[in-house]
Amino acid sequence: MSMLKSPDQIAMMREAGRVVANALSAVREHAAVGISLKELDDVAAAVISDAGAKPAFLDYHPRWAAVPFPGVICTSVNDAVVHGIPNGYVLEDGDLLSVDCGAFLEGWCGDAAVSFVVGTATPEDQDLVEATEAALARGIEAARVGNKMGDLAYAIGGEAKRAGFGLLADHGGHGIGRTMHAEPPVPNLGRPGRGMKLEDGLVIAIEPMLIMGGKDDYYHDEDEWTLRSANGRRAAHSEHTVAITAEGPVILTLP
């Protein structure tokens, strides 16, 4: 099966991406001190359902997971990098929350993530969030016809590493379309000029995951889903689904 999408298919993915963007916006609006992660999951579920879409994460069961994922969104707090389960944890002032959301609409998938501080942000946390968003922006800018995957990966991770951040080991972005995770893998670290050539119609999820302290290592939490930084430092995650076109990169997961 070709990894490349037609303009009509990309337009359909744009609508799925819009659902994801609206769900993330609603979650961010409702996130506050005293609100539980489960309440935020319910907010996202309502937005996705009202749009006639289906959550991509709920009951997702890859081979490596002992149990299916139990939430509509991933909610990763503080040292949780990704895959955090939306449980009864109640948000506190200063928590750094990363929210990842995926949805299918008419058989096409969108996937995006955002990180932000609930309540009062320290300068260090704000720097981490901004660095993660900047890494995503660099990756999107490099997602151009004729570039190599290594160019994109270096754009994401090179500057982040030089700034002293870790990048979650063994994880990166991915192709996306009729399935949430497809070829090709999209690394967050790489060498310019290496890897596959980026072509018109390729749609990928670009998702830097930065960790304070410069270390990349992680461990699985007892829930067997949440990945936590091995050094116990805070992490942030930012993601968009992006179409590579002759006119330049097009972000599909915007409102």
Side-chain angles (χ1 to χ4, degrees):
M1 182 181 295
S2 173
M3 292 184 288
L4 305 183
K5 311 297 190 297
S6 70
D8 286 346
Q9 291 171 331
I10 290 173
M12 295 173 74
M13 292 189 70
R14 174 71 180 96
E15 295 310 308
R18 198 185 311 275
V19 174
V20 171
N22 289 338
L24 286 173
S25 179
V27 168
R28 185 165 189 164
E29 181 179 343
H30 281 80
V33 175
I35 298 295
S36 73
L37 301 180
K38 180 61 173 67
E39 289 175 277
L40 296 181
D41 196 61
D42 292 341
V43 168
V47 172
I48 292 171
S49 177
D50 289 349
K54 296 181 179 180
F57 296 173
L58 184 62
D59 294 327
Y60 177 59
H61 195 180
R63 291 190 301 271
W64 54 263
V67 296
F69 191 77
V72 169
I73 55 176
C74 296
T75 50
S76 305
V77 181
N78 297 333
D79 66 320
V81 190
V82 288
H83 303 165
I85 292 174
N87 52 27
Y89 177 82
V90 175
L91 291 167
E92 300 179 359
D93 185 49
D95 276 343
L96 199 167
L97 174 64
S98 297
V99 183
D100 194 354
C101 181
F104 284 97
L105 183 66
E106 302 296 331
W108 294 96
C109 191
D111 187 10
V114 63
S115 294
F116 54 91
V117 177
V118 177
T120 308
T122 66
E124 189 177 34
D125 284 347
Q126 194 60 41
D127 286 348
L128 173 63
V129 170
E130 291 176 0
T132 308
E133 292 173 347
L136 174 60
R138 292 193 302 272
I140 294 170
E141 176 60 26
R144 296 184 177 273
V145 173
N147 276 356
K148 297 290 187 70
M149 190 64 79
D151 298 322
L152 190 155
Y154 181 76
I156 293 170
E159 187 169 329
K161 274 293 187 183
R162 287 191 294 273
F165 295 102
L167 285 152
L168 183 66
D170 309 323
H171 289 76
H174 49 88
I176 185 170
R178 287 290 192 180
T179 60
M180 180 167 57
H181 294 130
E183 294 294 326
V186 182
N188 288 327
L189 280 172
R191 297 177 64 181
R194 301 293 183 90
M196 68 173 285
K197 192 173 183 178
L198 305 182
E199 298 184 61
D200 185 7
L202 182 65
V203 181
I204 55 178
I206 303 173
E207 51 178 320
M209 294 156 272
L210 271 59
I211 302 170
M212 289 181 181
K215 300 295 184 182
D216 306 334
D217 300 335
Y218 64 92
Y219 67 93
H220 281 85
D221 208 344
E222 292 180 359
D223 62 23
E224 299 190 39
W225 270 100
T226 306
L227 302 186
R228 295 189 180 275
S229 62
N231 62 5
R233 302 292 299 277
R234 292 187 170 198
H237 177 204
S238 192
E239 178 182 15
H240 272 307
T241 298
V242 178
I244 298 171
T245 76
E247 292 74 35
V250 179
I251 302 173
L252 304 183
T253 40
L254 292 174

